[in-house]
Amino acid sequence: MLGHSVIVFEARDKLAGLNEYGIAAYKVNDDIAQREVAYLLDIGGIESRLNQSLSRDFSLADLRAQYDAVFLGLGLAGVNALGLEAETVSGVYDAVDYIAKLRQAKDLSALPVGRRVVVIGGGMTAIDIASQAKRLGAEDVTIVYRRGAEHMSGSEKEQNWAQVSGVKIKHWGGPRRLMVDNGVLIGVEFEYTQLDENGKVVAIGATFTLTADMLFKAIGQTFVKSAVTGSVDLLELKNSRLSVDADRKTSLANVWAGGDCVADGQDLTVAAVEDGKRAAQSIDRFLRTG
């Protein structure tokens, strides 16, 4: 990098990514992520530029022209949609966005919390938001997952923890219709599901309904390709994420990537840290040898 320094561009007003914005508030101390950031910045030679977003404030081509090496740690900024009519009505929320607002909130009472909450999904985010809603005062919280308990990506320990907290988990159900009254969510209709001979989830016709005044979507996140595809540079993609080699080098000569945005990643903080380490070692070799 220019002047033997490292510059970190961050789209939000704090560093630390998911450790700051994506982990449920009840799991971590409020300042732990920022204390880790401060520890790393104390190394020296690292400058952070906040509220600076790729594709909005600069392009990948700009970075490649100004710096000797570029590392992309873009994460998964998109949230999967249910694909149902009336998905934008009052009472329907993205779980990831809500958790981020919760982590930054100074007054928890200012956050909307329903009496009857339904969460759709089977991963850690679904369990986090369900447990958090219960702790914030929701009377009834139910997670609905389209497969069985053994297929949930949320750990068994976390599932048990959520249920001890009063969260109910219902398996083999897929959302069919959002029930709305005067533009406000009042319930969700589900279809019972099963796996066919190819292991694909299919509806079996019978339905059930859950009353709900709040619905959280927690069915996965996606890589927002527009951040890099709008550039004149061409980055090779694999499975809709950035393709990298063992050193986390992309198809572009001076660009590396790591974390959730790369193909074949594990979507874990520890895996992202390993990606950063491998990329840093590779970048160091690149800078030394030209």
Side-chain angles (χ1 to χ4, degrees):
M1 289 73 177
L2 294 177
H4 304 289
S5 64
V6 176
I7 299 178
V8 180
F9 293 91
E10 167 57 49
R12 304 203 199 203
D13 57 5
K14 289 182 181 179
L15 295 175
L18 281 180
N19 281 1
E20 173 63 37
Y21 293 97
I23 300 177
Y26 70 91
K27 286 185 173 180
V28 294
N29 294 326
D30 289 340
D31 64 341
I32 187 170
Q34 294 310 305
R35 284 192 279 120
E36 289 183 341
V37 167
Y39 172 78
L40 293 173
L41 293 180
D42 281 344
I43 294 172
I46 305 173
E47 176 189 344
S48 63
R49 298 183 183 177
L50 306 177
N51 298 304
Q52 295 289 302
S53 177
L54 181 64
S55 81
R56 185 192 68 198
D57 300 302
F58 49 82
S59 68
L60 181 56
D62 294 333
L63 295 179
R64 295 188 69 205
Q66 295 177 53
Y67 301 97
D68 299 313
V70 177
F71 177 83
L72 299 174
L74 303 174
L76 300 176
V79 177
N80 287 327
L82 297 173
L84 299 177
E85 187 178 350
E87 197 166 329
T88 59
V89 300
S90 177
V92 179
Y93 297 82
D94 290 332
V96 173
D97 291 343
Y98 190 92
I99 289 173
K101 291 176 181 177
L102 178 64
R103 283 291 303 276
Q104 305 305 310
K106 301 301 182 184
D107 179 11
L108 297 182
S109 65
L111 290 170
V113 180
R115 293 181 60 190
R116 296 185 178 274
V117 177
V118 170
V119 178
I120 298 176
M124 296 301 295
T125 300
I127 293 172
D128 278 357
I129 194 61
S131 299
Q132 193 71 74
K134 193 64 178 174
R135 284 170 168 78
L136 289 175
E139 293 180 11
D140 185 88
V141 181
T142 304
I143 295 174
V144 182
Y145 181 54
R146 61 186 182 142
R147 292 187 174 93
E150 68 277 15
H151 301 105
M152 292 182 70
S153 58
S155 69
E156 183 178 354
K157 179 180 179 181
E158 295 279 355
Q159 292 179 50
N160 292 337
W161 191 1
Q163 291 177 92
V164 168
S165 301
V167 174
K168 292 177 287 187
I169 302 179
K170 187 172 181 61
H171 303 102
W172 302 111
R176 181 175 184 270
R177 180 172 65 95
L178 300 183
M179 304 167 68
V180 179
D181 182 29
N182 291 323
V184 178
L185 180 75
I186 60 171
V188 186
E189 182 182 61
F190 293 86
E191 288 184 299
Y192 285 103
T193 57
Q194 65 182 23
L195 299 182
D196 65 14
E197 61 275 10
N198 298 314
K200 182 180 178 181
V201 177
V202 294
I204 61 175
T207 65
F208 64 92
T209 301
L210 294 178
T211 301
D213 55 4
M214 194 172 204
L215 170 67
F216 285 109
K217 299 180 291 183
I219 55 174
Q221 296 169 259
T222 58
F223 174 56
V224 179
K225 294 183 287 186
S226 60
V228 292
T229 54
S231 169
V232 295
D233 304 299
L234 297 178
L235 276 168
E236 182 179 330
L237 301 179
K238 178 182 177 183
N239 298 326
S240 298
R241 301 192 194 186
L242 298 176
S243 179
V244 295
D245 63 15
D247 290 328
R248 306 310 188 258
K249 192 173 185 302
T250 71
S251 56
L252 293 178
N254 61 340
V255 179
W256 286 254
D260 296 349
C261 67
V262 303
D264 303 322
Q266 299 181 51
D267 296 354
L268 296 171
T269 300
V270 66
V273 172
E274 174 67 13
D275 289 346
K277 182 184 74 174
R278 290 195 182 193
Q281 293 170 339
S282 178
I283 290 171
D284 181 65
R285 290 193 298 270
F286 170 77
L287 296 179
R288 290 176 186 275
T289 62

mmCIF file of all heavy atoms in Angstrom, residues 240-262:
data_model
loop_
_atom_site.group_PDB
_atom_site.id
_atom_site.type_symbol
_atom_site.label_atom_id
_atom_site.label_comp_id
_atom_site.label_asym_id
_atom_site.label_seq_id
_atom_site.Cartn_x
_atom_site.Cartn_y
_atom_site.Cartn_z
ATOM 1 N N SER A 240 -21.994 -17.520 -7.278
ATOM 2 C CA SER A 240 -22.470 -16.160 -6.998
ATOM 3 C C SER A 240 -21.656 -15.432 -5.931
ATOM 4 O O SER A 240 -22.110 -14.434 -5.364
ATOM 5 C CB SER A 240 -23.950 -16.177 -6.586
ATOM 6 O OG SER A 240 -24.749 -16.677 -7.629
ATOM 7 N N ARG A 241 -20.453 -15.930 -5.645
ATOM 8 C CA ARG A 241 -19.533 -15.227 -4.756
ATOM 9 C C ARG A 241 -18.176 -15.112 -5.432
ATOM 10 O O ARG A 241 -17.955 -15.669 -6.505
ATOM 11 C CB ARG A 241 -19.407 -15.949 -3.411
ATOM 12 C CG ARG A 241 -20.725 -16.102 -2.655
ATOM 13 C CD ARG A 241 -20.492 -16.565 -1.225
ATOM 14 N NE ARG A 241 -21.712 -17.022 -0.577
ATOM 15 C CZ ARG A 241 -21.802 -17.363 0.696
ATOM 16 N NH1 ARG A 241 -20.726 -17.308 1.488
ATOM 17 N NH2 ARG A 241 -22.944 -17.774 1.215
ATOM 18 N N LEU A 242 -17.241 -14.394 -4.805
ATOM 19 C CA LEU A 242 -15.938 -14.177 -5.402
ATOM 20 C C LEU A 242 -15.117 -15.468 -5.392
ATOM 21 O O LEU A 242 -15.020 -16.152 -4.382
ATOM 22 C CB LEU A 242 -15.189 -13.080 -4.651
ATOM 23 C CG LEU A 242 -15.842 -11.698 -4.654
ATOM 24 C CD1 LEU A 242 -15.045 -10.736 -3.785
ATOM 25 C CD2 LEU A 242 -15.956 -11.155 -6.071
ATOM 26 N N SER A 243 -14.520 -15.770 -6.522
ATOM 27 C CA SER A 243 -13.677 -16.954 -6.637
ATOM 28 C C SER A 243 -12.250 -16.597 -6.226
ATOM 29 O O SER A 243 -11.679 -15.609 -6.707
ATOM 30 C CB SER A 243 -13.689 -17.468 -8.076
ATOM 31 O OG SER A 243 -12.851 -18.597 -8.216
ATOM 32 N N VAL A 244 -11.667 -17.378 -5.312
ATOM 33 C CA VAL A 244 -10.301 -17.137 -4.846
ATOM 34 C C VAL A 244 -9.520 -18.448 -4.829
ATOM 35 O O VAL A 244 -10.107 -19.534 -4.795
ATOM 36 C CB VAL A 244 -10.282 -16.515 -3.427
ATOM 37 C CG1 VAL A 244 -10.910 -15.127 -3.438
ATOM 38 C CG2 VAL A 244 -11.015 -17.411 -2.426
ATOM 39 N N ASP A 245 -8.173 -18.329 -4.840
ATOM 40 C CA ASP A 245 -7.343 -19.522 -4.727
ATOM 41 C C ASP A 245 -6.980 -19.763 -3.263
ATOM 42 O O ASP A 245 -7.533 -19.127 -2.362
ATOM 43 C CB ASP A 245 -6.088 -19.398 -5.608
ATOM 44 C CG ASP A 245 -5.162 -18.257 -5.193
ATOM 45 O OD1 ASP A 245 -5.315 -17.730 -4.062
ATOM 46 O OD2 ASP A 245 -4.274 -17.895 -5.984
ATOM 47 N N ALA A 246 -6.029 -20.659 -3.021
ATOM 48 C CA ALA A 246 -5.671 -21.019 -1.641
ATOM 49 C C ALA A 246 -5.093 -19.846 -0.870
ATOM 50 O O ALA A 246 -5.164 -19.802 0.370
ATOM 51 C CB ALA A 246 -4.680 -22.179 -1.656
ATOM 52 N N ASP A 247 -4.512 -18.872 -1.587
ATOM 53 C CA ASP A 247 -3.958 -17.679 -0.945
ATOM 54 C C ASP A 247 -4.967 -16.545 -0.870
ATOM 55 O O ASP A 247 -4.622 -15.429 -0.503
ATOM 56 C CB ASP A 247 -2.717 -17.198 -1.701
ATOM 57 C CG ASP A 247 -1.533 -18.136 -1.549
ATOM 58 O OD1 ASP A 247 -1.419 -18.758 -0.473
ATOM 59 O OD2 ASP A 247 -0.741 -18.253 -2.503
ATOM 60 N N ARG A 248 -6.204 -16.846 -1.231
ATOM 61 C CA ARG A 248 -7.323 -15.892 -1.236
ATOM 62 C C ARG A 248 -7.126 -14.801 -2.288
ATOM 63 O O ARG A 248 -7.630 -13.693 -2.158
ATOM 64 C CB ARG A 248 -7.534 -15.261 0.149
ATOM 65 C CG ARG A 248 -7.694 -16.276 1.278
ATOM 66 C CD ARG A 248 -8.731 -17.342 0.972
ATOM 67 N NE ARG A 248 -9.026 -18.207 2.103
ATOM 68 C CZ ARG A 248 -8.546 -19.436 2.247
ATOM 69 N NH1 ARG A 248 -7.734 -19.959 1.336
ATOM 70 N NH2 ARG A 248 -8.884 -20.168 3.299
ATOM 71 N N LYS A 249 -6.411 -15.133 -3.348
ATOM 72 C CA LYS A 249 -6.203 -14.211 -4.461
ATOM 73 C C LYS A 249 -7.328 -14.386 -5.471
ATOM 74 O O LYS A 249 -7.727 -15.496 -5.785
ATOM 75 C CB LYS A 249 -4.859 -14.478 -5.137
ATOM 76 C CG LYS A 249 -4.425 -13.400 -6.101
ATOM 77 C CD LYS A 249 -3.006 -13.669 -6.581
ATOM 78 C CE LYS A 249 -2.513 -12.521 -7.463
ATOM 79 N NZ LYS A 249 -3.386 -12.302 -8.634
ATOM 80 N N THR A 250 -7.868 -13.274 -5.957
ATOM 81 C CA THR A 250 -8.938 -13.313 -6.947
ATOM 82 C C THR A 250 -8.343 -13.438 -8.348
ATOM 83 O O THR A 250 -7.134 -13.596 -8.521
ATOM 84 C CB THR A 250 -9.800 -12.042 -6.877
ATOM 85 O OG1 THR A 250 -9.039 -10.928 -7.380
ATOM 86 C CG2 THR A 250 -10.255 -11.761 -5.444
ATOM 87 N N SER A 251 -9.195 -13.322 -9.344
ATOM 88 C CA SER A 251 -8.750 -13.402 -10.733
ATOM 89 C C SER A 251 -8.037 -12.137 -11.186
ATOM 90 O O SER A 251 -7.444 -12.115 -12.269
ATOM 91 C CB SER A 251 -9.945 -13.678 -11.649
ATOM 92 O OG SER A 251 -10.951 -12.689 -11.461
ATOM 93 N N LEU A 252 -8.068 -11.087 -10.392
ATOM 94 C CA LEU A 252 -7.363 -9.848 -10.719
ATOM 95 C C LEU A 252 -5.990 -9.831 -10.050
ATOM 96 O O LEU A 252 -5.840 -10.281 -8.915
ATOM 97 C CB LEU A 252 -8.174 -8.630 -10.265
ATOM 98 C CG LEU A 252 -9.485 -8.409 -11.020
ATOM 99 C CD1 LEU A 252 -10.231 -7.204 -10.453
ATOM 100 C CD2 LEU A 252 -9.227 -8.202 -12.508
ATOM 101 N N ALA A 253 -5.017 -9.284 -10.738
ATOM 102 C CA ALA A 253 -3.614 -9.403 -10.337
ATOM 103 C C ALA A 253 -3.305 -8.887 -8.939
ATOM 104 O O ALA A 253 -2.497 -9.466 -8.227
ATOM 105 C CB ALA A 253 -2.733 -8.679 -11.364
ATOM 106 N N ASN A 254 -3.914 -7.808 -8.519
ATOM 107 C CA ASN A 254 -3.564 -7.225 -7.219
ATOM 108 C C ASN A 254 -4.764 -7.135 -6.276
ATOM 109 O O ASN A 254 -4.859 -6.230 -5.447
ATOM 110 C CB ASN A 254 -2.948 -5.831 -7.404
ATOM 111 C CG ASN A 254 -3.905 -4.846 -8.065
ATOM 112 O OD1 ASN A 254 -4.862 -5.242 -8.716
ATOM 113 N ND2 ASN A 254 -3.626 -3.566 -7.887
ATOM 114 N N VAL A 255 -5.686 -8.093 -6.400
ATOM 115 C CA VAL A 255 -6.884 -8.086 -5.565
ATOM 116 C C VAL A 255 -7.057 -9.441 -4.867
ATOM 117 O O VAL A 255 -7.030 -10.488 -5.520
ATOM 118 C CB VAL A 255 -8.159 -7.781 -6.388
ATOM 119 C CG1 VAL A 255 -9.396 -7.798 -5.494
ATOM 120 C CG2 VAL A 255 -8.025 -6.426 -7.084
ATOM 121 N N TRP A 256 -7.228 -9.378 -3.556
ATOM 122 C CA TRP A 256 -7.484 -10.558 -2.737
ATOM 123 C C TRP A 256 -8.864 -10.393 -2.090
ATOM 124 O O TRP A 256 -9.420 -9.295 -2.068
ATOM 125 C CB TRP A 256 -6.432 -10.683 -1.639
ATOM 126 C CG TRP A 256 -5.084 -11.140 -2.107
ATOM 127 C CD1 TRP A 256 -4.514 -12.368 -1.932
ATOM 128 C CD2 TRP A 256 -4.096 -10.364 -2.812
ATOM 129 N NE1 TRP A 256 -3.248 -12.411 -2.492
ATOM 130 C CE2 TRP A 256 -2.968 -11.189 -3.037
ATOM 131 C CE3 TRP A 256 -4.062 -9.042 -3.290
ATOM 132 C CZ2 TRP A 256 -1.832 -10.754 -3.703
ATOM 133 C CZ3 TRP A 256 -2.935 -8.606 -3.957
ATOM 134 C CH2 TRP A 256 -1.838 -9.465 -4.160
ATOM 135 N N ALA A 257 -9.401 -11.473 -1.537
ATOM 136 C CA ALA A 257 -10.709 -11.385 -0.892
ATOM 137 C C ALA A 257 -10.829 -12.467 0.165
ATOM 138 O O ALA A 257 -10.133 -13.484 0.125
ATOM 139 C CB ALA A 257 -11.837 -11.528 -1.920
ATOM 140 N N GLY A 258 -11.729 -12.246 1.128
ATOM 141 C CA GLY A 258 -11.936 -13.235 2.176
ATOM 142 C C GLY A 258 -13.215 -12.986 2.940
ATOM 143 O O GLY A 258 -13.869 -11.949 2.790
ATOM 144 N N GLY A 259 -13.580 -13.938 3.769
ATOM 145 C CA GLY A 259 -14.797 -13.828 4.559
ATOM 146 C C GLY A 259 -15.996 -14.392 3.814
ATOM 147 O O GLY A 259 -15.863 -15.190 2.884
ATOM 148 N N ASP A 260 -17.173 -13.954 4.204
ATOM 149 C CA ASP A 260 -18.401 -14.508 3.654
ATOM 150 C C ASP A 260 -18.572 -14.267 2.157
ATOM 151 O O ASP A 260 -19.323 -14.985 1.493
ATOM 152 C CB ASP A 260 -19.611 -13.910 4.378
ATOM 153 C CG ASP A 260 -19.659 -14.282 5.853
ATOM 154 O OD1 ASP A 260 -18.880 -15.162 6.256
ATOM 155 O OD2 ASP A 260 -20.472 -13.692 6.582
ATOM 156 N N CYS A 261 -17.894 -13.253 1.608
ATOM 157 C CA CYS A 261 -18.096 -12.901 0.202
ATOM 158 C C CYS A 261 -17.403 -13.850 -0.767
ATOM 159 O O CYS A 261 -17.630 -13.771 -1.975
ATOM 160 C CB CYS A 261 -17.647 -11.462 -0.070
ATOM 161 S SG CYS A 261 -15.863 -11.186 0.078
ATOM 162 N N VAL A 262 -16.546 -14.760 -0.280
ATOM 163 C CA VAL A 262 -15.833 -15.650 -1.188
ATOM 164 C C VAL A 262 -16.543 -16.995 -1.299
ATOM 165 O O VAL A 262 -17.234 -17.441 -0.386
ATOM 166 C CB VAL A 262 -14.365 -15.866 -0.758
ATOM 167 C CG1 VAL A 262 -13.639 -14.533 -0.656
ATOM 168 C CG2 VAL A 262 -14.270 -16.631 0.551
#
